[in-house]
Amino acid sequence: MQLSRRSFFKFMGAAGASAAARPSTALAWESKAPPDPYGCLVDLTRCVGCRKCEEACAGVNKLPPPERPDCQCTIFEKKRRPDAKAYTVVNRYFTGKIDGFHNPSPTFAKVQCMHCQDPACVSACIVGALTKDETGAVRYDVNKCIGCRYCMVACPFEIPAYEYFDPITPRVMKCTFCYERISKEGGLPGCAAICPTEALTFGKRKTLLKVAKKRLKENPGRYINHIYGETEVGGTSWIYLSEVPFDKVNLPVLPDKPSPKLSETIQHSLFSYLWSPLALFGVLGIFMYGSNKSAEKKKETAKEKGGPDA
Ligand code: SF4
Ligand code: SF4
Ligand code: SF4
């Protein structure tokens, strides 16, 4: 059986629709978003694709340094995702934009955990290994993690990665928002501190939304009129401005409704129907099994073709 994260969300959506028939008391859901979190504004019109943010992130978080071939173009030929050895990556997209010399002009987009206001990963974690902090950071406690990887299934941005290569003490890996740095007065995340073009602005999320709105107002031709992350999945701590539609730089089109609202409503409804929690997590387990099988199959196919592991 091959199940994608999207098919999982379809399943959850169907379950949610049936849950909607339940009395409203069973559907009560409250946002647990912190009132005044930090955030980071990513302005794609300022990003030049230098990848210094990747280097700084690796340094701060003691990850292997990112690959630095002689020509950046070989890196940008493939679309990369954050993984267990890189919390953030920058990709290049050609979206039809033309520069002053009539050449195709690229848009670069940094990707990392969005530190959602109401994170689906936190809601999916049954042992509290992931928590949303007052600073806005979604934090991970390896000592509580049981390796179920439901967070990976739940994340609408497909961010958490798993250390499959470590059979003894594998961890879930994702951007930490450089918590140790930002929780100190004046501290900046490694990526935002190094960015030479001010494509990354760190600050209080409320202030950043004002900054973003001001840029939109003062430069109507420069940006599309949308702040990505202002409302998507209930809002995210990392927000984006762009001159090209966000789906063209692989930022998914998502509803405004927070994902935990759906998943927690479904859990409450299932429990109120006297479903066993084990049954619910059994369903999630089947989904994970399908996902893992699919990943293994991709790896085998890649090996048969003589390429790197998927
Ligand atoms: S350091 Fe700044 S300009 Fe360079 S790739 Fe990262 S976000 Fe873009
Ligand atoms: S906030 Fe820290 S961990 Fe997250 S991408 Fe930036 S440097 Fe990496
Ligand atoms: S982007 Fe994914 S991993 Fe990050 S906080 Fe949101 S749900 Fe969790």
Side-chain angles (χ1 to χ4, degrees):
M1 177 172 49
Q2 184 169 332
L3 284 164
S4 66
R5 292 185 201 215
R6 283 190 216 298
S7 54
F8 172 76
F9 278 105
K10 267 192 202 156
F11 160 76
M12 296 289 268
S18 93
R22 298 286 296 151
S24 58
T25 46
L27 302 177
W29 180 86
E30 270 183 33
S31 167
K32 299 177 192 78
D36 194 20
Y38 286 112
C40 198
L41 171 61
V42 186
D43 188 333
L44 299 185
T45 69
R46 298 184 179 194
C47 178
V48 294
C50 66
R51 298 179 56 230
K52 284 185 185 298
C53 48
E54 290 184 26
E55 265 176 29
C57 178
V60 168
N61 293 290
K62 301 185 175 51
L63 298 168
E67 211 184 327
R68 272 278 179 204
D70 290 343
C71 176
Q72 292 259 63
C73 44
T74 56
I75 286 287
F76 289 131
E77 269 161 18
K78 52 186 185 231
K79 296 290 171 277
R80 298 172 302 144
R81 296 286 308 163
D83 61 27
K85 294 181 178 175
Y87 291 162
T88 188
V89 294
V90 178
N91 283 316
R92 181 185 64 185
Y93 298 89
F94 287 104
T95 61
K97 235 179 12 160
I98 301 293
D99 67 15
F101 301 100
H102 304 289
N103 294 318
S105 174
T107 300
F108 297 96
K110 177 185 184 300
V111 52
Q112 71 296 302
C113 169
M114 301 288 280
H115 296 276
C116 306
Q117 285 283 79
D118 277 299
C121 58
V122 170
S123 154
C125 182
I126 56 176
V127 294
L130 286 160
T131 47
K132 176 81 174 170
D133 184 84
E134 286 299 302
T135 60
V138 172
R139 304 190 64 200
Y140 172 65
D141 183 344
V142 69
N143 296 316
K144 290 186 179 166
C145 180
I146 55 170
C148 67
R149 285 161 280 149
Y150 295 149
C151 54
M152 295 170 66
V153 179
C155 173
F157 299 97
E158 303 189 4
I159 290 296
Y162 196 63
E163 289 182 315
Y164 289 103
F165 53 82
D166 184 342
I168 311 293
T169 53
R171 293 167 297 174
V172 169
M173 304 289 274
K174 67 164 206 70
C175 163
T176 60
F177 212 169
C178 291
Y179 175 79
E180 302 301 335
R181 292 164 64 109
I182 68 167
S183 54
K184 289 186 193 130
E185 184 70 34
L188 291 177
C191 55
I194 197 104
C195 180
T197 61
E198 295 182 9
L200 306 176
T201 310
F202 175 77
K204 288 287 184 173
R205 183 175 186 271
K206 281 180 189 157
T207 311
L208 295 177
L209 282 170
K210 283 186 194 151
V211 171
K213 282 175 186 165
K214 190 162 180 277
R215 283 188 199 169
L216 289 183
K217 194 172 172 201
E218 290 176 356
N219 308 277
R222 185 177 172 99
Y223 299 102
I224 58 161
N225 191 21
H226 182 178
I227 304 168
Y228 188 90
E230 180 179 14
T231 56
E232 277 81 2
V233 291
T236 55
S237 282
W238 284 67
I239 55 176
Y240 285 69
L241 286 177
S242 172
E243 60 193 321
V244 299
F246 291 102
D247 58 338
K248 296 229 164 129
V249 293
N250 218 14
L251 282 165
V253 177
L254 291 169
D256 289 349
K257 195 190 317 186
S259 304
K261 185 171 183 177
L262 179 60
S263 55
E264 287 174 22
T265 299
I266 289 164
Q267 285 177 33
H268 294 162
S269 298
L270 290 173
F271 294 164
S272 73
Y273 272 121
L274 299 180
W275 275 50
S276 153
L278 280 176
L280 175 61
F281 293 114
V283 170
L284 290 165
I286 292 167
F287 173 73
M288 284 307 301
Y289 176 78
S291 298
N292 292 344
K293 277 285 172 208
S294 166
E296 278 167 23
K297 205 170 164 190
K298 274 188 199 158
K299 270 189 185 177
E300 277 166 21
T301 312
K303 269 187 191 156
E304 277 164 21
K305 288 181 180 167
D309 286 357

